[in-house]
Amino acid sequence: QVQLVETGGGLVQSGDSLRLSCGASGGTLYKLAVGWFRQAPGREREFVAAIDWSGQRLFYADSVKGRFTISRDNDNTAGYLQMNSLKPEDTAVYYCAAAIGMKYSNTFNDLTRYDYWGQGTQVTVSS
């Protein structure tokens, strides 16, 4: 059973950058897709970015495209979300998730397809 722990959240100003990490324990991220989702107060959890098990295919929500970059370690122990040019509307709890056997491009943004979830890390962007 893989456990995921997010780190790197915090309070920043508009235009700043943050790098979130998603560490795996109790197992590795080998052959698992990794996704990042976020949930703002009063809103549903939404897709942010995902990377397939090989690191070859990357997916982004339109709202973060060009500002956020998802990546993963070659040793399959961690995933990352580099967030640049942060905006107040990026304020949310950010969750990482991992999925077994995810192949089709239209599934990476579906949170119901993910098997493992972290506890989340708060990101607050002030204007």
Side-chain angles (χ1 to χ4, degrees):
Q1 181 86 0
V2 176
Q3 286 91 45
L4 303 176
V5 178
E6 303 94 338
T7 56
L11 171 63
V12 297
Q13 294 188 331
S14 182
D16 285 350
S17 299
L18 277 176
R19 188 188 194 213
L20 304 183
S21 298
C22 174
S25 62
T28 72
L29 298 174
Y30 179 68
K31 292 289 191 180
L32 301 183
V34 175
W36 287 92
F37 293 79
R38 66 187 182 187
Q39 187 166 18
R43 302 188 66 174
E44 293 187 352
R45 194 170 298 189
E46 65 175 8
F47 170 74
V48 176
I51 184 168
D52 77 344
W53 69 270
S54 71
Q56 297 300 307
R57 290 189 294 165
L58 312 179
F59 304 89
Y60 296 97
D62 288 344
S63 59
V64 307
K65 208 170 287 185
R67 299 188 298 123
F68 291 11
T69 303
I70 190 170
S71 61
R72 59 188 299 155
D73 268 347
N74 289 333
D75 60 2
N76 291 302
T77 59
Y80 305 97
L81 185 69
Q82 176 67 42
M83 305 187 295
N84 297 331
S85 302
L86 282 161
K87 306 175 181 179
E89 51 264 44
D90 294 319
T91 295
V93 177
Y94 283 71
Y95 299 89
C96 73
I100 301 167
M102 187 171 283
K103 295 192 300 183
Y104 302 106
S105 297
N106 64 349
T107 60
F108 283 81
N109 62 352
D110 183 353
L111 62 86
T112 67
R113 299 296 187 115
Y114 287 79
D115 302 285
Y116 307 105
W117 288 86
Q119 300 280 50
T121 185
Q122 177 70 46
V123 172
T124 303
V125 185
S126 65
S127 56

Coordinates of all heavy atoms in Angstrom, one line a residue, residues 4-10 20-22 36-39 45 92-97 116-123:
L4 N 1.1 8.5 0.4 CA 1.6 9.7 -0.3 C 1.6 10.9 0.7 O 0.6 11.0 1.4 CB 0.7 10.1 -1.5 CG 0.6 9.0 -2.6 CD1 -0.4 9.4 -3.7 CD2 2.0 8.7 -3.2
V5 N 2.6 11.7 0.7 CA 2.7 12.9 1.6 C 3.1 14.1 0.8 O 4.2 14.0 0.1 CB 3.7 12.6 2.7 CG1 3.8 13.9 3.6 CG2 3.3 11.4 3.6
E6 N 2.3 15.1 0.8 CA 2.6 16.3 0.1 C 3.3 17.3 1.0 O 3.0 17.4 2.2 CB 1.3 17.0 -0.4 CG 0.4 16.2 -1.3 CD -0.6 15.5 -0.5 OE1 -0.5 15.3 0.7 OE2 -1.7 15.1 -1.1
T7 N 4.3 18.0 0.5 CA 5.0 19.0 1.2 C 5.3 20.2 0.3 O 5.2 20.1 -1.0 CB 6.4 18.5 1.8 OG1 7.2 18.1 0.7 CG2 6.2 17.5 2.8
G8 N 5.6 21.3 0.8 CA 5.9 22.5 0.0 C 4.9 23.6 0.0 O 5.2 24.6 -0.7
G9 N 3.8 23.4 0.5 CA 2.8 24.5 0.5 C 3.1 25.6 1.4 O 4.1 25.6 2.1
G10 N 2.4 26.7 1.3 CA 2.7 27.9 2.1 C 1.9 29.1 1.7 O 1.0 29.0 0.8
L20 N 5.7 22.0 -5.0 CA 5.1 21.0 -4.2 C 5.8 19.7 -4.5 O 6.1 19.4 -5.6 CB 3.6 20.9 -4.4 CG 2.8 22.2 -4.3 CD1 1.3 21.8 -4.5 CD2 3.0 22.8 -2.9
S21 N 6.0 18.9 -3.4 CA 6.5 17.5 -3.6 C 5.5 16.5 -3.1 O 4.8 16.8 -2.1 CB 7.8 17.4 -2.8 OG 8.8 18.3 -3.2
C22 N 5.6 15.3 -3.7 CA 4.7 14.2 -3.3 C 5.6 13.0 -3.1 O 6.0 12.4 -4.0 CB 3.7 14.0 -4.4 SG 2.6 12.5 -4.1
W36 N -2.1 15.7 -9.7 CA -2.3 16.8 -8.7 C -3.7 17.4 -8.9 O -4.1 17.7 -10.0 CB -1.2 17.9 -8.8 CG 0.2 17.5 -8.4 CD1 1.2 17.0 -9.2 CD2 0.7 17.6 -7.1 NE1 2.3 16.8 -8.4 CE2 2.0 17.1 -7.1 CE3 0.2 18.1 -5.9 CZ2 2.8 17.1 -6.0 CZ3 1.0 18.0 -4.7 CH2 2.3 17.5 -4.8
F37 N -4.3 17.5 -7.8 CA -5.7 18.1 -7.7 C -5.7 19.2 -6.7 O -4.8 19.2 -5.8 CB -6.7 17.0 -7.4 CG -6.9 16.0 -8.5 CD1 -5.9 14.9 -8.6 CD2 -7.9 16.0 -9.4 CE1 -6.1 14.0 -9.6 CE2 -8.1 15.0 -10.4 CZ -7.1 14.0 -10.5
R38 N -6.7 20.0 -6.7 CA -6.8 21.0 -5.7 C -8.2 21.3 -5.3 O -9.1 21.0 -6.1 CB -6.1 22.4 -6.2 CG -6.8 23.0 -7.3 CD -6.0 24.2 -7.8 NE -6.6 24.9 -8.9 CZ -6.0 25.9 -9.6 NH1 -4.8 26.3 -9.3 NH2 -6.7 26.5 -10.5
Q39 N -8.5 21.8 -4.1 CA -9.8 22.1 -3.7 C -9.8 23.3 -2.9 O -9.1 23.5 -1.8 CB -10.3 20.9 -2.8 CG -11.8 21.0 -2.5 CD -12.4 19.7 -1.9 OE1 -11.7 18.8 -1.5 NE2 -13.7 19.6 -2.0
R45 N -13.2 19.3 -5.7 CA -11.9 19.1 -6.0 C -11.7 19.0 -7.5 O -12.5 18.4 -8.2 CB -11.4 17.7 -5.4 CG -10.0 17.5 -5.4 CD -9.6 16.3 -4.6 NE -10.0 16.4 -3.2 CZ -9.6 15.6 -2.2 NH1 -8.9 14.5 -2.5 NH2 -10.0 15.8 -1.0
A92 N -5.8 27.1 -2.6 CA -6.5 25.8 -2.4 C -5.7 24.8 -1.6 O -4.5 25.1 -1.4 CB -6.8 25.2 -3.7
V93 N -6.3 23.8 -1.2 CA -5.5 22.6 -0.7 C -5.1 21.8 -1.9 O -6.0 21.4 -2.7 CB -6.3 21.8 0.3 CG1 -5.5 20.6 0.8 CG2 -6.7 22.6 1.5
Y94 N -3.9 21.5 -2.0 CA -3.4 20.7 -3.1 C -3.1 19.2 -2.7 O -2.4 19.0 -1.7 CB -2.1 21.3 -3.7 CG -2.4 22.5 -4.5 CD1 -2.8 23.7 -4.0 CD2 -2.2 22.5 -5.9 CE1 -3.1 24.8 -4.7 CE2 -2.5 23.6 -6.7 CZ -2.9 24.8 -6.1 OH -3.2 25.9 -6.9
Y95 N -3.6 18.3 -3.5 CA -3.5 16.9 -3.2 C -2.8 16.2 -4.3 O -3.0 16.5 -5.5 CB -4.9 16.2 -3.1 CG -5.8 16.8 -2.0 CD1 -6.6 17.8 -2.3 CD2 -5.8 16.2 -0.8 CE1 -7.4 18.3 -1.3 CE2 -6.6 16.7 0.2 CZ -7.4 17.8 0.0 OH -8.2 18.2 1.0
C96 N -1.9 15.3 -4.0 CA -1.3 14.4 -5.0 C -2.0 13.1 -4.9 O -2.5 12.7 -3.9 CB 0.2 14.3 -4.9 SG 0.8 13.3 -3.5
A97 N -2.0 12.4 -6.0 CA -2.7 11.1 -6.1 C -1.9 10.2 -7.1 O -1.2 10.7 -7.9 CB -4.1 11.3 -6.6
Y116 N -4.6 6.1 -4.9 CA -3.9 6.5 -3.6 C -4.0 8.0 -3.6 O -3.8 8.7 -4.6 CB -2.5 6.0 -3.6 CG -2.3 4.6 -3.8 CD1 -1.9 4.1 -5.0 CD2 -2.7 3.7 -2.8 CE1 -1.7 2.7 -5.3 CE2 -2.5 2.3 -3.0 CZ -2.1 1.8 -4.3 OH -1.9 0.5 -4.5
W117 N -4.2 8.6 -2.4 CA -4.2 10.0 -2.2 C -3.4 10.4 -1.0 O -3.3 9.7 0.0 CB -5.7 10.4 -1.9 CG -6.5 10.4 -3.1 CD1 -7.2 9.3 -3.6 CD2 -6.8 11.4 -4.1 NE1 -7.8 9.6 -4.8 CE2 -7.6 10.9 -5.1 CE3 -6.4 12.8 -4.1 CZ2 -8.1 11.7 -6.1 CZ3 -6.9 13.6 -5.2 CH2 -7.7 13.0 -6.2
G118 N -2.8 11.6 -1.1 CA -2.2 12.2 0.1 C -3.2 13.0 0.9 O -4.4 13.1 0.5
Q119 N -2.7 13.6 2.0 CA -3.6 14.4 2.9 C -3.8 15.8 2.5 O -4.7 16.5 3.0 CB -3.0 14.4 4.3 CG -2.8 13.0 4.9 CD -4.1 12.5 5.5 OE1 -5.1 12.5 4.8 NE2 -4.1 12.0 6.7
G120 N -2.9 16.3 1.6 CA -3.1 17.7 1.1 C -2.1 18.6 1.7 O -1.7 18.4 2.9
T121 N -1.8 19.7 1.0 CA -1.0 20.8 1.6 C -1.6 22.1 1.1 O -2.0 22.2 0.0 CB 0.5 20.7 1.1 OG1 1.3 21.7 1.7 CG2 0.6 20.8 -0.4
Q122 N -1.7 23.0 2.0 CA -2.4 24.3 1.8 C -1.5 25.3 1.0 O -0.3 25.5 1.4 CB -2.8 25.0 3.1 CG -3.4 26.3 2.9 CD -4.8 26.3 2.3 OE1 -5.6 25.5 2.7 NE2 -5.1 27.2 1.3
V123 N -2.0 25.8 0.0 CA -1.3 26.9 -0.8 C -2.2 28.1 -0.7 O -3.4 28.1 -1.1 CB -1.1 26.5 -2.3 CG1 -0.6 27.7 -3.1 CG2 -0.1 25.3 -2.3

